[in-house]
Every structure is written in structure tokens, then in C-alpha cells.
Amino acid sequence: MGLVDFVTLAREVSVAGAAVSAAIVAWLGLNTWRRQLVGQDRYQLAKELVLCLYQLRDQIEAARRPIVEIMRGEPRRLAEVQFMFGDLAIYEMARRAQRRLPEINETKKRLDSLALDAEVLWSDELKPHLEEISKLLDNFSLAVEYTVSAHNPEHDQMIHSMMSEMAADTGAIVLEVEKDNFNTSLSASISRIRAIVMPPVAPAVKR
């Protein structure tokens, strides 16, 4: 082996060693973070996470309810509402929901921050449910924007139809109560997260 080959090999070994060392340091750092979190008030983190989810649920419901009710409300259905008031009624409700989006996004940022610590403690068990929550929130934001555009009186019928279909595809704003999978999915994901981070305590066995 020549000097050049030896230097090249030594450099490759050094780079590989540095990568292994970095991985070990990262793993040790993650474990240290986990121990620190466990040493802190684990219950407090769980409570803040669940309360943040409940706040998001209530904010979405407050933004979503007026649109949904006017679009599927009894005794008037959507066609009757549009016949009596035109698209302006739905447009105004959608605009109100749109104005609530910044508030919802701020709460989502706080949820994302709490989720970083929560995933360290509950790892893979929690992650898919948090991802489902994030997907639902994104769909809701899109649905609101599409609904605003669909019922904007300045837009033509082609845009109305296209945007209405796109809003319906998100599943976040629906006309039929029995097809309200958005609300069902959101509630189910929150319940699953709560069951993971705040599992019910088994009653003490009497002896």
C-alpha cells in the first residue's frame, strides 16, 4: 500500500468514525432529553397537550359550525338558503371562518411545540395520531379557503363549481350529518392521544 492509499484509507476511516460518533452523541442526547422529561412533571406535559387539543377542537368547531349549519340546517337546505339569500350568506359565514384561521394556526404552533416533547416520551405510539390531527387541520384550512372562493359573488359559475368540489374533497365541510367523517376523525384522534398520554388508572385491588 502506497502512502497516498494509506492517507486515503485513514481519511475514510476517520470520516466513518466521525459519523458513528455523531450518531452515538445524538442517541445519548435523545436519551438524556428523555430522562430529563421523565424527571420533570410528565403529567403536566400530558395535561397541556390534551388541553391544547381540546382548544383546537373548540376553535375549529366555532369556525366550522356556522358554515355547516347554514349549508345543511333544518328546515332549509342549501338550495333554499341560496334561493332566499344567494351565495352571500354562505360567503359571509366562510369569511368569518377564514378570519378565525390565524387563531387556530397559533394554537397549532403551540401543539407542535408540545408534540416535540411528547414524542420523546411516547415516541412511535403517539406520532401517527399527531400526524392525523395535523392532516385534519390542513384540510380544514383548505376547505375554508375553497368555500370562500366558491361562494365569492365576484367569481363565475365555473370557479364556484370547481372550488365547491375541492372543498368537498377535503371532507372538512360537508352537507350531510351522517357523512361528517371530519368531526368523527378529529374526535377519535384526540381520544386516542389522551388514552396514550393519560391512560386510565386501574382501581386498587382490595385485599
Side-chain angles (χ1 to χ4, degrees):
M1 177 183 293
L3 179 60
V4 174
D5 293 334
F6 178 79
V7 171
T8 301
L9 178 62
R11 186 171 58 213
E12 291 176 353
V13 170
S14 176
V15 170
V20 171
S21 298
I24 292 173
V25 169
W27 181 80
L28 290 173
L30 182 61
N31 279 336
T32 300
W33 188 14
R34 182 178 286 113
R35 285 196 301 272
Q36 288 174 345
L37 285 171
V38 171
Q40 295 170 6
D41 193 346
R42 182 185 179 112
Y43 174 76
Q44 184 64 28
L45 173 59
K47 185 174 74 171
E48 288 181 15
L49 180 67
V50 171
L51 288 176
C52 187
L53 287 167
Y54 286 163
Q55 183 180 5
L56 264 175
R57 179 198 62 190
D58 293 345
Q59 287 174 338
I60 289 173
E61 178 62 16
R64 186 173 176 261
R65 189 189 308 115
I67 309 175
V68 172
E69 285 183 354
I70 198 170
M71 292 177 77
R72 70 182 184 203
E74 294 292 351
R76 294 192 299 265
R77 287 294 184 185
L78 174 61
E80 293 170 333
V81 171
Q82 288 180 311
F83 177 77
M84 294 178 69
F85 304 107
D87 275 343
L88 284 176
I90 298 174
Y91 177 67
E92 181 54 33
M93 293 300 101
R95 287 282 292 137
R96 290 183 188 180
Q98 189 182 46
R99 289 192 286 270
R100 288 180 179 266
L101 290 181
E103 176 187 44
I104 293 171
N105 289 333
E106 282 301 311
T107 306
K108 185 178 182 295
K109 286 180 184 177
R110 188 156 56 87
L111 175 64
D112 291 341
S113 178
L114 292 168
L116 285 174
D117 286 345
E119 285 187 27
V120 172
L121 290 177
W122 292 282
S123 60
D124 295 339
E125 190 178 9
L126 194 64
K127 189 174 181 179
H129 305 304
L130 289 169
E131 289 177 346
E132 176 66 14
I133 293 283
S134 181
K135 179 182 176 181
L136 289 168
L137 294 177
D138 289 343
N139 282 345
F140 175 71
S141 295
L142 287 173
V144 170
E145 299 295 349
Y146 293 153
T147 303
V148 169
S149 186
H151 298 281
N152 188 330
E154 296 181 0
H155 293 167
D156 60 31
Q157 187 58 45
M158 184 177 71
I159 293 178
H160 286 204
S161 299
M162 181 176 65
M163 289 298 170
S164 292
E165 288 182 14
M166 292 171 70
D169 287 343
T170 67
I173 296 177
V174 293
L175 303 187
E176 296 87 2
V177 177
E178 61 271 16
K179 293 183 180 179
D180 195 354
N181 294 326
F182 176 87
N183 191 52
T184 302
S185 298
L186 183 62
S187 297
S189 294
I190 291 174
S191 296
R192 293 188 192 105
I193 290 172
R194 174 166 182 165
I196 292 168
V197 302
M198 301 178 73
V201 179
V205 179
K206 294 182 179 180
R207 297 186 179 183

